[in-house]
Each structure stands twice: as structure tokens, then as C-alpha cells.
């Protein structure tokens, strides 16, 4: 570090458990960039925080819970899809103009594409209707899936995503709060869990006795633990699996690209995944 080192930061609360500094500081070193990634635990005063990004010449930020939605109205420009999603997780400071993006859904879809799976025309079941679901559903629609079903405990949250998709894309979409059973799964090609069920607990959004169609792709955005109850269910049914850690790394790579113009390599991906597994 020297007097020219530029700061990229994470803004959120709490942020103690974040893996982002590990990813980005490794990449800054690898690509010889005079940048450092630090975490700011912001408990209040988001307005002052945004002013500080400009005043201190901070090059870029990731935004996490609880500010992904609230910060949208406080920055200068917002990417078209981030506007539709209604939240941002990345900011780039371009000569004092703060522009916001959302890389969650793009990172998720990259994980699917990298696995060699073609999502085009597929029938997709998305479980959950929070922020992550919103960005994933919009990205799925952008990528021309054939059908989308959103299942969520609170029906009105699923309905609000349904309306965004219905009003902006030409996709066959439905929503429900009904329990997922064999009948729900019989014509589904891809299942995506976007709820927190399984995160450091042994809960699953799908009953372990439920039978999926063979060749179903199962994606769980929960990355801690890696082998959630849902992943165990998928393994016992011989399903193809995409893990939450893949999306986490890919959304970080998309943000890194926005800040630096460099897209990290497959080797970087493998190396970071290895670090994560020992973390
Ligand atoms: P994120 O930004 O990570 O998506 P979120 O916006 O809090 O987080 O959304 C969490 C999702 O997990 C929601 O769909 C939530 O369901 P509700 O809309 O009914 O709140 C879902 N979820 C969380 N805990 C759940 C539980 N115990 N059972 C079922 N769904 C749950």
C-alpha cells in the first residue's frame, strides 16, 4: 500500500462474517492492482456514508443487508435491471458520480452457464420471494426460460415478483404459497432455493420424501453449510447440483469486473473455492 492505494469497500450491518475481502484482496494482488478491500460496519446514517464515498474518493463498494434497497435513492445513477430488481449490491464511483448495479442474479446465472446447463425454455421453480429471489427471477426471465413458478410462505411477496415478471417479460409465470409436493415437481426441470432454510440449520424447503423428475437441476443459494438438507435430498435423488458458493464467487467476479474491467479466470474461481472450503 502507498499514497495512491485506492479503497473499495463493503457497506452493511452486520458484516463480520463477510467472505468478500478474501475474494477481492486476492484478486487485487493477482492482477497487480493498487487497491484494497475493507469492510465498514455502518449502523446508521446512510446519507453521510454515501457522501463519504464521494469525499474520500472510494473507488467502489459492495452493499449488503440492510441497505441494498434504501441506498438506491441516495446515489446518482442506477442500472436499468437493478432498478427493476429494486436493490443494488455494487456501486462504482466514476469521477464523483455513483452508479449502482445488482450482480446477484447475473452471478447466479453464470454458475448455471459454467456448469454447461442450458436454461433456455426450461421450467423453473423458484422457492422464496426475498431480495435474492427477485434478482434471480429477473435474470431467469432475461435468459428466456420457458416457465417460472414462484413458491413462497408469504403469498404477497411472491405476487410482487410475479407482477414484475408479467409486466416486463414474455414468460409464462405463476405463484403460490402451497407446499411443494410430487405433483409440483413432476414437470419442473430446475429447482432454485432462495430462502434461508438450511443456513446453519437442518431445515429444508422440500420434504425429503418428495420425488423430483430425473435430470432435475437443483440450485441452493445457501452456502453455509455447503451440504444443506436440500443438497442431501438432491444427492439422494441423483440430481445435478449447483452450490451457493458458486453464486457467491460469481457475483463478486461481476462486481470486480465493474470496478476494474478485468474478469477473473476459471483458475481464480477454483483457487477462491479452495480457500473458501478451508475458511
Ligand atoms: P434475501 O435478501 O437473502 O433474499 P430476504 O429478503 O429476507 O433475504 O428473503 C428471505 C426469503 O426466505 C423469503 O422468501 C422468506 O419468506 P417470506 O417472504 O415468507 O418471509 C423466506 N423464508 C425465511 N425463513 C423462512 C421459513 N422459516 N420458512 C419459509 N420461508 C422462509
Amino acid at each position: 500500500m502507498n499514497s495512491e492505494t485506492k479503497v473499495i469497500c463493503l457497506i452493511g450491518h452486520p458484516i463480520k462474517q463477510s467472505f468478500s475481502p478474501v475474494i477481492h484482496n486476492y484478486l487485487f494482488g493477482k492482477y497487480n492492482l493498487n487497491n484494497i478491500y475493507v469492510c465498514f460496519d455502518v449502523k446508521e446514517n446512510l446519507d453521510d456514508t454515501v457522501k463519504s464515498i464521494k469525499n474520500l474518493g472510494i473507488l467502489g463498494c459492495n452493499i449488503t443487508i440492510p441497505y441494498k434497497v434504501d441506498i438506491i435513492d441516495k446515489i446518482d445513477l442506477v442500472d436499468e435491471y437493478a432498478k427493476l430488481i429494486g436493490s443494488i449490491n455494487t456501486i462504482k464511483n466514476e469521477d464523483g458520480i455513483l452508479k449502482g448495479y445488482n450482480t446477484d442474479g447475473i452471478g447466479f446465472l453464470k454458475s448455471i452457464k459454467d456448469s454447461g446447463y442450458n436454461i433456455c425454455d426450461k421450467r423453473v421453480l423458484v422457492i422464496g420471494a426475498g431480495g435474492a429471489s427477485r434478482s434471480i427471477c429477473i435474470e431467469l426471465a432475461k435468459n428466456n426460460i420457458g416457465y417460472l413458478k414462484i413458491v413462497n410462505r408469504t403469498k404477497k411477496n411472491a405476487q410482487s415478483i410475479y407482477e414484475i415478471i408479467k409486466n416486463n417479460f414474455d414468460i409464462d409465470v405463476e405463484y403460490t404459497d402451497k407446499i411443494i409436493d410430487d405433483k409440483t415437481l413432476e414437470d419442473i426441470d430446475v429447482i432454485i432455493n432462495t430462502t434461508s432454510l438450511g443456513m446453519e440449520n437442518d431445515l429444508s424447503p422440500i420434504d425429503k420424501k418428495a420425488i423430483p423428475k430425473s435430470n432435475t437441476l437443483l440450485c441452493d443459494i445457501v452456502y453455509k453449510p455447503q451440504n444443506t438438507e436440500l443438497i442431501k435430498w438432491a444427492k439422494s435423488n441423483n440430481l445435478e447440483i449447483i452450490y451457493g458458493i458458486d453464486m457467491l464467487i460469481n457475483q463478486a467476479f461481476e462486481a470486480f469486473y465493474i470496478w476494474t474491467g478485468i474478469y477473473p479466470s476459471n483458475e481464480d474461481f477454483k483457487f477462491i473455492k479452495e480457500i473458501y472450503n478451508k475458511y
Side-chain angles (χ1 to χ4, degrees):
M1 276 193 284
N2 55 29
S3 62
E4 289 179 26
T5 305
K6 292 283 179 206
V7 173
I8 293 186
C9 66
L10 173 66
I11 289 168
H13 176 75
I15 36 112
K16 214 171 74 191
Q17 304 302 327
S18 175
F19 186 57
S20 297
V22 178
I23 301 177
H24 292 294
N25 286 321
Y26 160 75
L27 294 172
F28 293 149
K30 163 87 188 283
Y31 292 98
N32 273 321
L33 298 168
N34 192 2
N35 297 337
I36 184 165
Y37 190 102
V38 292
C39 293
F40 293 130
D41 191 349
V42 174
K43 297 193 185 77
E44 54 191 20
N45 251 331
L46 192 58
D47 286 312
D48 287 350
T49 303
V50 172
K51 278 187 205 142
S52 301
I53 297 170
K54 290 192 183 189
N55 288 340
L56 299 174
I58 289 174
L59 209 63
C61 319
N62 280 138
I63 308 298
T64 189
I65 288 169
Y67 302 123
K68 283 182 170 192
V69 174
D70 290 353
I71 205 162
I72 277 209
D73 295 334
K74 303 182 192 301
I75 59 173
D76 302 303
L77 296 169
V78 179
D79 167 78
E80 178 195 349
Y81 281 110
K83 247 186 231 162
L84 207 54
I85 295 164
S87 75
I88 60 165
N89 72 340
T90 302
I91 291 176
K92 185 175 188 190
N93 183 356
E94 287 177 3
D95 301 323
I97 307 289
L98 303 186
K99 181 160 184 194
Y101 304 83
N102 191 314
T103 69
D104 286 335
I106 303 170
F108 175 79
L109 255 290
K110 171 94 175 16
S111 311
I112 293 193
K113 287 177 189 162
D114 285 352
S115 76
Y117 191 87
N118 182 5
I119 197 94
C120 188
D121 293 332
K122 293 293 189 297
R123 297 179 64 85
V124 183
L125 174 71
V126 171
I127 311 167
S133 170
R134 205 172 257 261
S135 54
I136 287 171
C137 288
I138 288 171
E139 202 57 31
L140 288 167
K142 269 167 72 186
N143 281 270
N144 302 316
I145 57 166
Y147 165 79
L148 174 63
K149 182 166 200 158
I150 307 159
V151 185
N152 194 50
R153 173 180 66 176
T154 311
K155 203 170 176 182
K156 72 171 176 21
N157 295 343
Q159 185 183 356
S160 105
I161 302 181
Y162 162 88
E163 276 161 11
I164 295 173
I165 302 296
K166 200 83 192 156
N167 293 336
N168 292 281
F169 301 93
D170 185 20
I171 297 277
D172 185 10
V173 55
E174 288 182 308
Y175 67 97
T176 181
D177 58 357
K178 295 215 170 68
I179 284 174
I180 299 163
D181 55 15
D182 293 357
K183 178 114 184 56
T184 321
L185 298 180
E186 72 187 9
D187 61 354
I188 291 295
D189 303 307
V190 182
I191 302 168
I192 303 168
N193 175 42
T194 72
T195 73
S196 46
L197 292 173
M199 194 185 293
E200 283 161 357
N201 59 48
D202 59 2
L203 302 173
S204 171
I206 297 184
D207 188 287
K208 61 179 170 219
K209 291 194 198 97
I211 310 284
K213 203 171 80 144
S214 61
N215 299 326
T216 301
L217 175 69
L218 183 282
C219 314
D220 194 348
I221 73 160
V222 174
Y223 57 87
K224 219 172 174 186
Q226 184 143 297
N227 277 310
T228 58
E229 289 303 307
L230 184 62
I231 296 279
K232 288 180 201 161
W233 170 80
K235 283 182 176 166
S236 70
N237 284 286
N238 293 317
L239 304 189
E240 254 189 89
I241 295 168
I242 292 182
Y243 293 90
I245 183 62
D246 293 18
M247 171 184 163
L248 183 79
I249 298 174
N250 280 326
Q251 63 78 26
F253 281 13
E254 295 292 332
F256 188 84
Y257 178 73
I258 288 168
W259 299 321
T260 67
I262 298 169
Y263 204 95
S265 66
N266 290 342
E267 285 65 38
D268 294 329
F269 184 93
K270 283 185 206 142
F271 187 76
I272 290 168
K273 211 165 160 175
E274 272 171 34
I275 303 176
Y276 178 81
N277 288 334
K278 293 184 202 143
Y279 200 61

